[in-house]
Structure formats: C-alpha cells, structure tokens
Amino acid sequence: AQSVTQPDIHITVSEGASLELRCNYSYGATPYLFWYVQSPGQGLQLLLKYFSGDTLVQGIKGFEAEFKRSQSSFNLRKPSVQWSDTAEYFCAVNAGYGGSQGNLIFGKGTKLSVKP
Amino acid sequence: GVSQSPSNKVTEKGKDVELRCDPISEHNRLYWYRQTLGQGPEFLTYFQNEAQLEKSRLLSDRFSAERPKGSFSTLEIQRTEQGDSAMYLCASSSWSDPYEQYFGPGTRLTVT
C-alpha cells in the first residue's frame, strides 16, 4: 500500500537559515508527489508538485523540492527561511490511477518553527 | 476558493450533523478528508460531478455524502461519537488538472 513518511515531527530553525524537510514515500509506480503548507486557521495550500521530468521542482514562496527515485524521497528545501514560514508542512502522494484518481495520501506533517 | 460551513460545530454524542462544502465553481471533482490532531489529512470520499466514485473504509455506515447536481456537497454524520471529533476538509479539482487539489479551511467538529 502507498504510504508517506515524514520523519521529523517538529523542526526549529532561525530566520535566515536554510531548511530541508524530509519526505519518503512508498509507491509501486512513478508517483505524483506534492508538498502542502497549513498555517494556523488556514486551509492547505499547495507549495509544489512533481509529476515527471526535471527532478528539481520549484514552487511558491521560494520553496523547491527534489525527487530522488533511488531513495524514494521528495525533500522540501528553502535557502533562507522567514518567520512567516512558520507552519505545518505535509508531503503527499497521489493514491493511484483508475478508480483512485486524485485522492491523496498524506504524511503526518512536520511543524516548522522559525525563530526571529 | 473552496468554502466550508460551518467553520466550527459542537454537538452532543448521538446527534446528527451535516457539513457543507462549496467547491470552486468550475471544478468537477470534490474530495472529503478528515484530519485529527497530529495526523495528516485522511481520504474519506470522492465525487466526480454528482457521482460518488470512491469511499474509504474510514467512512462507516453512519457517514453519508452527497453532491446533488454536481455542485456543493454535504457530509452527514449520524449518531455522532466522540471519535468523530476532527477537522473535516473539503478539496476540489478540475477536469483538466485533476491532481491539483484546492482545499477549503475546514470544519472543526467537536463531539461532547
């Protein structure tokens, strides 16, 4: 069965520092991968997605992610975080094709705290 | 965007509740997810237009969802239990880009 693992429950970084949030997936075929951000009181917002092609994808708010098939990973990165990046981040994989088109399987999330 | 109502609902155990989702108007796909504390969202059910195409095993017989005329959707929970307390999220996507889902702000359900 498909699954997503986010090994870090909570990460704290200082403003201006670089960031990498880890995501590992289990999926039999080429996955469709996503990163979402959830700020307090806000809905989930799509940061970026990977379907195929270039394994380094750029997203909104200065985020990027790299798909590594050999490591079954899709880690999220940002060169310099801002206090406003404080939020919870979810990695997700598309559940499959046919009757399961579109529904996402999410990891448990990583809470990011940015110290000013 | 996607809207959901109510934003918060507190109900007593055993009562029925109905949650509503209004998707982005041109989106033909609609999804319901449930999110509990410390967890990521978990898929409940999915509509393409008015047809309910898939239901998760998380959706017990006490849960029913509808999407009349392929527009808004309702999620009804009968005889609520304390374990139903969660954030219920709705998302929608378009025919042309089914994998990019736009989420609503959610309905926080508390069963006392």
Side-chain angles (χ1 to χ4, degrees), chain B residues 69 85 97:
Chain B
K69 301 179 183 178
S85 295
D97 192 357

Side-chain angles (χ1 to χ4, degrees), chain A residues 39-91:
Chain A
S39 300
Q42 304 291 318
L44 286 157
Q45 182 182 21
L46 180 65
L47 284 176
L48 47 78
K49 60 188 178 186
Y50 171 78
F51 288 174
S52 65
D54 193 346
T55 57
L56 185 63
V57 293
Q58 303 296 321
I60 62 171
K61 305 186 180 187
F63 285 92
E64 65 178 28
E66 186 171 13
F67 170 62
K68 292 185 178 181
R69 184 189 302 275
S70 61
Q71 299 177 18
S72 297
S73 68
F74 188 57
N75 294 348
L76 182 70
R77 301 195 294 246
K78 187 170 185 179
S80 176
V81 297
Q82 301 172 335
W83 179 81
S84 57
D85 293 324
T86 296
E88 190 158 18
Y89 292 80
F90 292 93
C91 182

Side-chain angles (χ1 to χ4, degrees), chain A residues 34 49 99-102 104, chain B residues 29 33 54 97 99-101:
Chain A
F34 307 81
K49 60 188 178 186
S100 297
Q101 283 185 13
L104 299 171
Chain B
R29 295 184 178 206
Y33 293 84
E54 187 163 358
D97 192 357
Y99 300 106
E100 183 157 346
Q101 295 181 23

Side-chain angles (χ1 to χ4, degrees), chain A residues 7-63:
Chain A
D8 304 305
I9 297 173
H10 194 176
I11 286 180
T12 300
V13 298
S14 297
E15 199 165 25
S18 63
L19 172 71
E20 183 169 27
L21 301 182
R22 296 183 291 165
C23 172
N24 293 97
Y25 66 89
S26 171
Y27 190 73
T30 300
Y32 289 6
L33 293 159
F34 307 81
W35 274 100
Y36 282 83
V37 60
Q38 188 175 40
S39 300
Q42 304 291 318
L44 286 157
Q45 182 182 21
L46 180 65
L47 284 176
L48 47 78
K49 60 188 178 186
Y50 171 78
F51 288 174
S52 65
D54 193 346
T55 57
L56 185 63
V57 293
Q58 303 296 321
I60 62 171
K61 305 186 180 187
F63 285 92

